[in-house]
Amino acid sequence: MKYKVDEDGIAWITLDRVDRLNSFDEESWKELGDKVRTANNDKNVKVLVLTGEGRAFSAGDDIFAMAELKDADDAKKFFDTLYYAVESLIELEKPLICAVNGLAYGGGCEILLFCDVVVGSKESKFSIPEAKLGLIPPMAISVGHKYWGRAVNRLAITGEVITAEEAKQIGIVDYIADDVLMKSKEIAKDIILNVDLEAVKVIKKWTKAEKERIQRAIMELALLSTTKSAKSRMEGFKDRHKKANKG
């Protein structure tokens, strides 16, 4: 995971597990939480931009890593780390822009709930497919209605893939751009030049998501992840993935 602060005071976090479509294992959830906290504590950072490298923003939780969780203790450790990252996004006092360069699935889509501005590419795709794996999308079902309305039900229950245009209609995406990084930088610089960042802190305090509700949903996901049904579906996902790669 890459981290840099540019001359304008914009911190850039780039997810770079390209071979896994920037999905999150336990280590990368921890790293995201660390880097967001670093940006939050750095007085030189005015705005944070989160993006992905390659053809994905993020495919969410790494199913290969989740399939290896042996018992409830393993699952709790993994999902405590996920919550550590989510908590850092919720508690961030600075503007957060997400530059969605490609697919945003599962947890990679749910992260957008905690962004202040989302810029999607014309080719970006969005999906919340956890139910297909016998799992749940904890952030979407706990606080998603507040931000995205009833569409959260449809996306979580069907697991369908939607385009950037539909994502914009729902409110998942704010802007669609040919160059998401350039557009994100433009927005970030505009915020830095025109907005009082102390006022932003207060705005974010009053609009942030409910941590306790999210934490309870994440723990429910931890329990589901070790059930026989979920394990079977995750193994099926792994088999399909391996066959597709061989083909």
Side-chain angles (χ1 to χ4, degrees):
M1 196 175 298
K2 297 170 183 172
Y3 179 86
K4 70 173 183 178
V5 180
D6 68 20
E7 68 282 357
D8 296 305
I10 305 168
W12 298 82
I13 296 177
T14 305
L15 308 177
D16 63 354
R17 294 185 78 218
V18 178
D19 59 324
R20 290 287 192 210
L21 296 178
N22 301 328
S23 61
F24 290 94
D25 58 7
E26 188 177 328
E27 182 182 347
S28 47
W29 278 124
K30 171 69 164 57
E31 195 174 359
L32 177 62
D34 287 344
K35 283 178 166 47
V36 172
R37 286 173 171 84
T38 295
N40 202 35
N41 293 327
D42 186 344
K43 291 179 180 177
N44 295 316
V45 172
K46 310 300 182 188
V47 177
L48 176 58
V49 177
L50 176 63
T51 191
E53 198 169 279
R55 65 186 185 91
F57 174 71
S58 172
D61 284 317
D62 186 337
I63 302 304
F64 282 77
M66 283 182 62
E68 297 303 314
L69 300 176
K70 296 180 181 66
D71 52 33
D73 288 339
D74 266 4
K76 185 176 186 306
K77 187 168 177 287
F78 182 97
F79 289 106
D80 277 346
T81 310
L82 184 160
Y83 179 71
Y84 172 78
V86 169
E87 184 181 45
S88 74
L89 296 169
I90 294 170
E91 294 296 334
L92 182 64
E93 296 181 322
K94 300 172 182 183
L96 174 61
I97 300 169
C98 282
V100 182
N101 51 297
L103 65 86
Y105 286 5
C109 184
E110 292 181 279
I111 284 174
L112 305 180
L113 285 163
F114 312 113
C115 296
D116 301 303
V117 182
V118 177
V119 182
S121 70
K122 291 176 180 176
E123 298 77 28
S124 54
K125 303 287 185 184
F126 304 80
S127 180
I128 306 174
E130 282 88 342
K132 292 181 177 181
L133 298 172
L135 304 169
I136 59 170
M139 290 81 83
I141 63 175
S142 57
V143 298
H145 289 84
K146 178 179 177 180
Y147 304 101
W148 298 341
R150 193 178 61 81
V152 167
N153 286 41
R154 171 171 62 89
L155 295 175
I157 289 171
T158 66
E160 69 179 273
V161 178
I162 63 172
T163 64
E165 285 292 345
E166 185 173 352
K168 190 171 186 291
Q169 291 169 15
I170 292 168
I172 295 174
V173 168
D174 298 297
Y175 301 97
I176 298 174
D178 292 322
D179 187 327
V180 293
L181 297 183
M182 187 181 295
K183 181 65 175 176
S184 296
K185 187 174 180 71
E186 176 189 312
I187 295 166
K189 288 176 74 172
D190 187 60
I191 291 170
I192 292 166
L193 285 171
N194 297 303
V195 178
D196 186 307
L197 295 178
E198 288 302 312
V200 169
K201 286 183 184 180
V202 179
I203 291 167
K204 289 185 67 93
K205 181 178 78 172
W206 280 92
T207 56
K208 70 182 180 181
E210 302 169 57
K211 290 198 299 183
E212 295 79 10
R213 187 173 172 81
I214 293 167
Q215 190 172 29
R216 291 199 305 272
I218 288 174
M219 287 305 102
E220 191 154 355
L221 171 58
L223 292 173
L224 273 174
S225 69
T226 57
T227 62
K228 187 180 292 186
S229 174
K231 286 288 187 187
S232 174
R233 286 176 178 271
M234 285 190 280
E235 287 300 327
F237 171 89
K238 285 170 59 180
D239 289 343
R240 290 192 299 275
H241 182 83
K242 288 172 182 174
K243 286 175 184 175
N245 282 350
K246 283 180 181 176

